[in-house]
Amino acid sequence: MSKQTVLVTSATGRIGRELVARLANNEQFNVRACYFSEAKAEQLLALGADEVVKFDLSDESTWAAALDGVCAVYSASLDPMLEGHLAFCRELGRRKDAIKHVVRISCMGADTNTASYDADTHASRAGAAIPLMLQHYWWGEKALIDEGLTVTALRNNFFMNHLLKTDCDQIRNEGWFSNPLGNMRNSFVATRDIAAAAAVVLSEGPERHGNKFYDITGPAPQSMAEIANDLGRAMGQDIEYRPQSMEDFEADFGSTRAEFFEYLTNGFYTRCSPDFYNLTGTKPTSYYDYLTTKGVSGETGLEELWQGNLWKKGEDAMKDAVAAATE
């Protein structure tokens, strides 16, 4: 039987690299990995991709070559790229006779197909709406569903590798980090676990996982003091957590990201889901293990900590996406 071609979008990201490395060991797939920067193409081939292809959500001219002969799609996109993703969903819909399965990376908290979220009702603050970023994640799923595609969504907790990236310089040079999360415990998830779940879902296919929606979390909720302790153990030095006000955090990153972080302070992401275990047969990766052990793609979480990051202090990365969504 000929191999199925699976397209891995965002293949150079943390989840994407790990997924490419996992699927490379699966003989049922021809793995076509997407790159935005040509400098990353060789890295994807080294991880085991059978093919690499230029792909840009903001450039429709790159889509046809990426999708030629594709049976399954791993779909992930940066938060500010919502408009491009929605347009790409329409293209996938036009090809739904060929594309049998789409696995979408998402987030818990605003879906209305498996729950009854009211976009205008905040979990803990009267008069406020569900954070726009959570609504965006649901729109990203819904656009695929509305096109009649067979979808599996991995609705993830907040990523471990995103948690401290904005404080890398302070951690490295001064031994401390800050944010508004304080003593609230959250079950942060390792990106390698998301890739492991995606690999299982793609391998077992739409017959088993089509139109299924899984919450992927870490194995234990942790406070910032506990995170600091794990990071210090991994680095072999003392690391301090310093509380930050939500007002200062909003000034650093903008209101859209601050709204999302408010959900991380109200207990909404505290729970631990069994879905990862039910998919893979293993317990999710702890934060300390994430930091100190290598994923299939060859990097530890501590090595990832010092790599590039979308979110930068003094910049509102969601400004343009919010403007586009409200036009």
Side-chain angles (χ1 to χ4, degrees):
M1 187 173 67
S2 61
K3 291 184 177 182
Q4 302 175 59
T5 295
V6 56
L7 182 71
V8 180
T9 69
S10 297
T12 60
R14 274 86 188 177
I15 307 171
R17 293 199 304 264
E18 187 77 5
L19 179 60
V20 168
R22 287 177 176 273
L23 292 181
N25 297 319
N26 189 324
E27 294 185 355
Q28 75 187 87
F29 289 121
N30 175 68
V31 180
R32 182 178 297 161
C34 295
Y35 65 85
F36 177 78
S37 170
E38 194 165 349
K40 299 289 185 70
E42 287 300 322
Q43 178 191 59
L44 295 173
L45 291 170
L47 288 173
D50 298 292
E51 307 173 36
V52 293
V53 62
K54 171 77 173 180
F55 180 79
D56 183 350
L57 277 177
S58 64
D59 182 0
E60 295 186 15
S61 70
T62 66
W63 298 355
L67 289 169
D68 183 42
V70 165
C71 297
V73 176
Y74 164 83
S75 170
S77 51
L78 294 173
D79 297 307
M81 297 295 294
L82 177 65
E83 287 299 304
H85 168 67
L86 297 181
F88 186 58
C89 290
R90 293 189 287 274
E91 179 63 24
L92 293 179
R94 288 189 281 269
R95 298 168 179 262
K96 63 186 174 186
D97 288 343
I99 295 173
K100 305 302 182 184
H101 197 192
V102 180
V103 177
R104 176 64 182 169
I105 297 302
S106 190
C107 184
M108 302 185 296
D111 55 281
T112 57
N113 66 333
T114 62
S116 299
Y117 291 109
D118 179 348
D120 295 325
T121 303
H122 195 279
S124 61
R125 183 157 54 89
I130 291 175
L132 186 60
M133 284 181 68
L134 297 191
Q135 295 187 53
H136 280 186
Y137 283 116
W138 166 234
W139 298 351
E141 292 182 44
K142 187 175 185 297
L144 294 164
I145 296 167
D146 288 349
E147 290 294 335
L149 293 152
T150 301
V151 178
T152 306
L154 301 180
R155 294 172 176 161
N156 306 294
N157 205 315
F158 194 81
F159 294 0
M160 289 176 180
N161 69 296
H162 283 180
L163 184 59
L164 303 181
K165 277 188 172 294
T166 54
D167 291 275
C168 283
D169 290 341
Q170 289 168 183
I171 292 169
R172 194 197 303 266
N173 299 326
E174 302 177 40
W176 64 275
F177 65 90
S178 65
N179 61 47
L181 303 187
N183 292 324
M184 178 53 67
R185 289 183 168 91
N186 291 278
S187 57
F188 305 107
V189 64
T191 48
R192 70 180 61 158
D193 285 355
I194 302 169
V200 168
V201 167
L202 285 164
S203 298
E204 294 180 349
E207 297 79 14
R208 183 163 182 176
H209 299 289
N211 302 316
K212 298 289 178 64
F213 304 86
Y214 301 112
D215 291 346
I216 309 298
T217 73
Q222 289 184 284
S223 70
M224 288 301 97
E226 291 162 341
I227 290 291
N229 182 64
D230 279 349
L231 180 60
R233 281 201 297 149
M235 293 180 65
Q237 66 183 76
D238 290 335
I239 299 295
E240 178 188 0
Y241 166 66
R242 298 181 183 178
Q244 181 184 30
S245 71
M246 190 63 74
E247 292 76 17
D248 287 345
F249 184 84
E250 182 171 342
D252 282 341
F253 301 107
S255 61
T256 306
R257 187 161 173 82
E259 287 176 354
F260 181 73
F261 262 64
E262 184 179 359
Y263 263 44
L264 297 175
T265 68
N266 67 17
F268 192 84
Y269 292 100
T270 296
R271 72 182 182 87
C272 297
S273 167
D275 287 351
F276 180 79
Y277 180 89
N278 290 338
L279 286 168
T280 68
T282 59
K283 188 184 291 187
T285 304
S286 71
Y287 185 59
Y288 181 74
D289 285 345
Y290 164 73
L291 290 171
T292 57
T293 62
K294 292 183 177 182
V296 175
S297 58
E299 292 180 323
T300 67
L302 192 58
E303 289 170 327
E304 285 187 359
L305 179 60
W306 316 117
Q307 296 173 5
N309 176 45
L310 168 67
W311 308 100
K312 296 176 176 60
K313 288 185 178 179
E315 298 180 16
D316 186 348
M318 291 297 295
K319 184 177 180 180
D320 292 342
V322 170
T326 56
E327 286 177 355

